[in-house]
């Protein structure tokens, strides 16, 4: 076991701007724009500490490319949580795995309100119309300037009583619309919902009632349908969540006897067209999905149970030799008519997390290629390689370097590319030997390195998601 990755789980409090970084290799000249990523970067507030990897205060960082040159900057999201926490030296707002110290009265009076939300949007970024937003699993986003990364304010969705949402909205380019998931938690029953994004308005598209709300991080989409996978990690006692005041994550129970369920919703009408069961499983990320001969083919990075949520507690991640579960590349077949069950097969034996595809051209359609992070068997407790998957053959190509820990690989298609994988793959890597991070640029087709850009004396903590935005 190798634990040198732990430097990537520490607080980074320095905000810096580096105008022109040395490039080893060469950046393709067509690569113009910014990779903007989101990461938890502060885990201690005064004498208190966040408990889960998903809790840390959000920091945005960007690599900007122009004429083969690269600049870098990073900046905290100046949310209410960031401001009030740091002013008081105490955790003031609930996070995924950490709650503020709060009285019962205060918990009861705020439990069903949309607030308190600290705006610590530390999971992903997106462009909604002409605004750039940082997202988390709440129905609230923070607006930022894509050039300076300065926080501009709250992107407050109007008229929603949903308490939770997703940091993974989908974009339907054919219909020029964004779609998001949200959930309304109630004591007796709860609801999953899909909304069309209409500026800051959320237009309700579909409501799916449920007795016990599952923890859902993302959803799938095909040409005509939305796909909700209801995992067996469920909120079994809402009242206890409020009264006992356990952090959000701790109220979910693994209930394998309940199985899992796929719910297919028509994008145009919002009607549920299919609902099928399958054996209990858990996933954070849908990879892609498409329609084929009366069924939906859905690829997910799936786990046989939900232990991974526990393994992402900071104490567990930082413990020696604890290790994390690796997820399987599963292909589910979901019948669109006539009921039945959903079944799956493995696309490959290699594990996959933080999957990315050529989203603009192939999301929701038959496709051939996925990029992801994975764990080399027997080598580490954390993601330590990048993998390119040929979905049709199951063949893989890998990037690996000893003591290096790469992050989510973001694919950027080359202009007028003739192949699905013609372009560049961008990943931020923590080099534990040099105690610094670098941006790695791989060729999308060969998966060979074409450039790396080192940050002098600066570690970017392990974060979650980012996007490449072409010149704004
Ligand atoms: Co995610």
């Amino acid at each position: 076991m190798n634990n040198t990755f732990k430097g990537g789980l520490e607080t980074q409090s320095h905000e810096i701007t580096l105008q022109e970084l040395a490039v080893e290799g060469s950046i393709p000249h067509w690569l113009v724009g910014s990779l903007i990523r989101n990461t938890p970067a502060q885990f201690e507030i005064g004498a208190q500490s966040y408990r889960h990897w998903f809790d840390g205060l959000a920091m945005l960082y960007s690599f900007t490319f122009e004429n083969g040159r690269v600049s870098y900057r990073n900046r905290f999201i100046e949310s209410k949580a960031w401001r009030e926490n740091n002013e008081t030296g105490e955790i003031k707002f609930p996070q995924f795995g950490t709650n503020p110290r709060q009285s019962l009265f205060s918990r009861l009076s705020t439990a069903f309100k949309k607030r308190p939300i600290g705006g610590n949007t530390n999971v992903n970024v997106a462009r909604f119309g002409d605004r750039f937003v940082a997202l988390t699993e709440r129905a609230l986003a923070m607006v930022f300037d894509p050039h300076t990364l300065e926080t501009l304010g709250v992107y407050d969705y109007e008229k929603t009583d949903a308490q939770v949402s997703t940091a993974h909205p989908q974009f339907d380019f054919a219909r020029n619309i964004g779609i998001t998931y949200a959930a309304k938690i109630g004591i007796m029953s709860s609801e999953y919902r899909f909304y069309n994004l209409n500026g800051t308005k959320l237009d309700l598209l579909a409501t799916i009632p449920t007795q016990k709300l599952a923890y859902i991080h993302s959803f799938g989409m095909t040409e005509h349908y939305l796909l909700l996978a209801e995992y067996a990690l469920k909120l079994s006692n809402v009242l206890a969540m409020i009264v006992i005041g356990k952090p959000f994550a701790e109220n979910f129970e693994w209930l394998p006897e309940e199985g899992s369920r796929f719910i297919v919703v028509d994008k145009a009408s919002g009607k549920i067209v299919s609902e099928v069961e399958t054996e209990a499983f858990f996933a954070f990320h849908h990879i892609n999905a498409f329609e084929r001969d009366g069924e939906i083919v859905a690829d997910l990075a799936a786990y046989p149970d939900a232990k991974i949520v526990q393994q992402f507690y900071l104490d567990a991640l930082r413990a020696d030799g604890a290790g994390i579960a690796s997820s399987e590349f599963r292909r589910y077949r979901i019948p669109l008519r006539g009921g039945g069950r959903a079944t799956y097969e493995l696309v490959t034996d290699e594990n996959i997390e933080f999957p990315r595809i050529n989203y603009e051209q192939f999301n929701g359609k038959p496709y051939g290629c996925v990029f992801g992070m994975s764990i080399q068997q027997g080598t580490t407790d954390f993601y330590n390689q990048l993998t390119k998957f040929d979905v049709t053959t199951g063949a893989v190509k890998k990037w690996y370097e000893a003591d290096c820990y790469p992050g989510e690989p973001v694919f950027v298609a080359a202009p007028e590319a003739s192949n699905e994988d013609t372009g560049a793959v961008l990943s931020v890597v923590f080099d534990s030997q040099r105690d610094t991070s670098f941006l790695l640029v791989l060729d999308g087709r060969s998966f060979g390195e074409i450039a790396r850009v080192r940050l002098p004396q600066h570690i970017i903590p392990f974060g979650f998601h980012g996007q490449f935005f072409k010149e704004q």
Side-chain angles (χ1 to χ4, degrees):
M1 286 292 188
N2 185 342
N3 290 321
T4 55
F5 67 89
K6 284 187 267 186
L9 290 164
E10 285 165 21
T11 290
Q12 171 57 272
S13 53
H14 297 287
E15 295 179 324
I16 58 173
T17 300
L18 300 166
Q19 281 307 343
E20 192 165 345
L21 291 158
V23 175
E24 298 168 32
S26 75
I27 303 289
H29 271 258
W30 57 261
L31 190 65
V32 177
S34 292
L35 172 71
I36 305 181
R37 297 188 54 79
N38 204 335
T39 185
Q42 184 183 343
F43 297 101
E44 294 82 34
I45 311 294
Q48 301 179 1
S49 295
Y50 283 121
R51 299 169 64 230
H52 199 278
W53 186 26
F54 297 177
D55 294 343
L57 291 179
M59 178 180 271
L60 294 172
Y61 63 91
S62 65
F63 287 91
T64 298
F65 305 85
E66 198 183 356
N67 300 323
R69 291 195 303 270
V70 186
S71 62
Y72 171 85
R73 73 176 68 224
N74 68 329
R75 199 156 175 171
F76 278 103
I77 293 178
E78 296 179 7
S79 63
K80 216 169 148 179
W82 174 84
R83 187 171 298 107
E84 291 188 24
N85 283 351
N86 283 316
E87 278 169 8
T88 60
E90 287 176 13
I91 293 167
K92 293 305 235 185
F93 296 88
Q95 289 296 137
F96 184 78
T98 312
N99 267 359
R101 290 174 193 156
Q102 218 180 359
S103 69
L104 176 63
F105 173 76
S106 141
R107 276 202 299 279
L108 291 172
S109 63
T110 56
F112 287 98
K113 291 186 181 157
K114 197 174 154 197
R115 301 292 185 274
I117 299 181
N120 181 31
T121 50
N122 64 5
V123 185
N124 200 357
V125 294
R127 185 174 182 167
F128 289 167
D130 59 357
R131 296 210 275 176
F132 291 78
V133 294
L135 301 165
T136 186
E137 297 182 322
R138 293 275 198 160
L140 176 141
M142 295 295 289
V143 185
F144 64 88
D145 181 314
H147 301 284
T148 63
L149 304 183
E150 183 187 357
T151 303
L152 300 177
V154 175
Y155 189 94
D156 211 348
Y157 301 106
E158 295 163 27
K159 289 185 199 159
T160 174
D161 54 356
Q163 299 98 332
V164 299
S165 183
T166 178
H168 292 281
Q170 292 269 10
F171 295 94
D172 184 335
F173 299 109
R175 292 158 67 229
N176 192 27
I177 198 158
I179 300 160
T180 195
Y181 156 86
K184 168 86 172 82
I185 302 170
I187 292 178
M188 300 307 290
S189 69
S190 297
E191 279 175 13
Y192 306 112
R193 294 175 184 171
F194 284 116
Y195 290 94
N196 288 329
L197 289 165
N198 178 5
T200 52
K201 259 178 74 215
L202 290 171
D203 293 336
L204 185 64
L205 176 65
T207 299
I208 304 154
T210 182
Q211 283 292 314
K212 296 174 190 165
L213 192 91
Y215 171 62
I216 288 168
H217 181 75
S218 66
F219 63 96
M221 185 175 81
T222 68
E223 190 184 348
H224 299 98
Y225 305 107
L226 302 173
L227 178 65
L228 189 84
E230 184 184 50
Y231 311 114
L233 183 64
K234 292 182 176 176
L235 193 52
S236 49
N237 191 340
V238 176
L239 203 56
M241 173 168 82
I242 300 158
V243 177
I244 301 167
K246 283 197 274 188
F248 184 71
E250 286 177 37
N251 298 284
F252 288 85
E253 256 186 287
W254 178 245
L255 301 170
E257 65 282 1
E258 300 206 357
S260 288
R261 182 165 68 129
F262 283 104
I263 300 140
V264 182
V265 171
D266 186 304
K267 270 154 85 174
S269 71
K271 292 210 165 64
I272 297 173
V273 296
S274 181
E275 211 179 307
V276 296
E277 297 190 346
T278 191
E279 67 187 76
F281 78 105
F282 176 73
F284 291 111
H285 297 115
H286 285 251
I287 300 171
N288 199 2
F290 56 91
E291 296 155 32
R292 187 180 68 187
D293 303 332
E295 63 183 14
I296 286 181
V297 177
D299 293 345
L300 288 103
Y303 301 84
D305 57 47
K307 287 193 191 90
I308 188 71
V309 176
Q310 308 302 318
Q311 291 165 341
F312 282 162
Y313 277 94
L314 292 163
D315 277 355
L317 283 174
R318 290 166 180 156
D320 285 338
I324 53 171
S326 51
S327 47
E328 298 176 334
F329 194 143
R330 292 190 187 174
R331 169 158 289 190
Y332 281 89
R333 294 173 59 184
I334 300 148
L336 274 170
R337 274 169 288 278
R341 281 177 72 82
T343 56
Y344 75 87
E345 57 190 31
L346 295 185
V347 172
T348 154
D349 290 337
E350 297 291 333
N351 62 88
I352 179 169
E353 247 310 350
F354 294 83
R356 297 299 295 252
I357 61 169
N358 181 338
Y359 187 87
E360 285 201 21
Q361 291 168 59
F362 288 89
N363 189 48
K365 300 173 190 164
Y367 73 121
C369 169
V370 182
F371 304 96
M373 286 152 58
S374 57
I375 306 168
Q376 198 176 66
Q377 293 304 327
T379 53
T380 184
D381 299 339
F382 206 66
Y383 308 102
N384 63 347
Q385 61 185 357
L386 295 170
T387 307
K388 177 187 176 184
F389 300 84
D390 182 321
V391 178
T392 317
T393 65
V396 295
K397 290 190 169 104
K398 291 179 182 177
W399 180 92
Y400 170 85
E401 206 167 287
D403 301 315
C404 286
Y405 301 92
E408 178 197 45
V410 176
F411 175 74
V412 188
E416 293 159 42
S418 49
N419 294 292
E420 182 177 343
D421 53 0
T422 300
V425 176
L426 309 178
S427 171
V428 175
V429 183
F430 170 52
D431 180 339
S432 66
Q433 287 304 306
R434 296 187 186 216
D435 237 9
T436 183
S437 298
F438 63 88
L439 175 78
L440 177 70
V441 186
L442 301 177
D443 177 73
R445 278 183 79 72
S446 70
F447 218 48
E449 178 170 339
I450 48 181
R452 76 172 62 186
V453 183
R454 289 188 189 279
L455 293 177
Q457 308 286 305
H458 186 81
I459 296 172
I460 300 172
F462 296 132
F464 308 116
H465 303 288
Q467 309 295 336
F468 188 84
F469 300 102
K470 290 179 188 143
E471 223 174 350
Q472 300 110 28

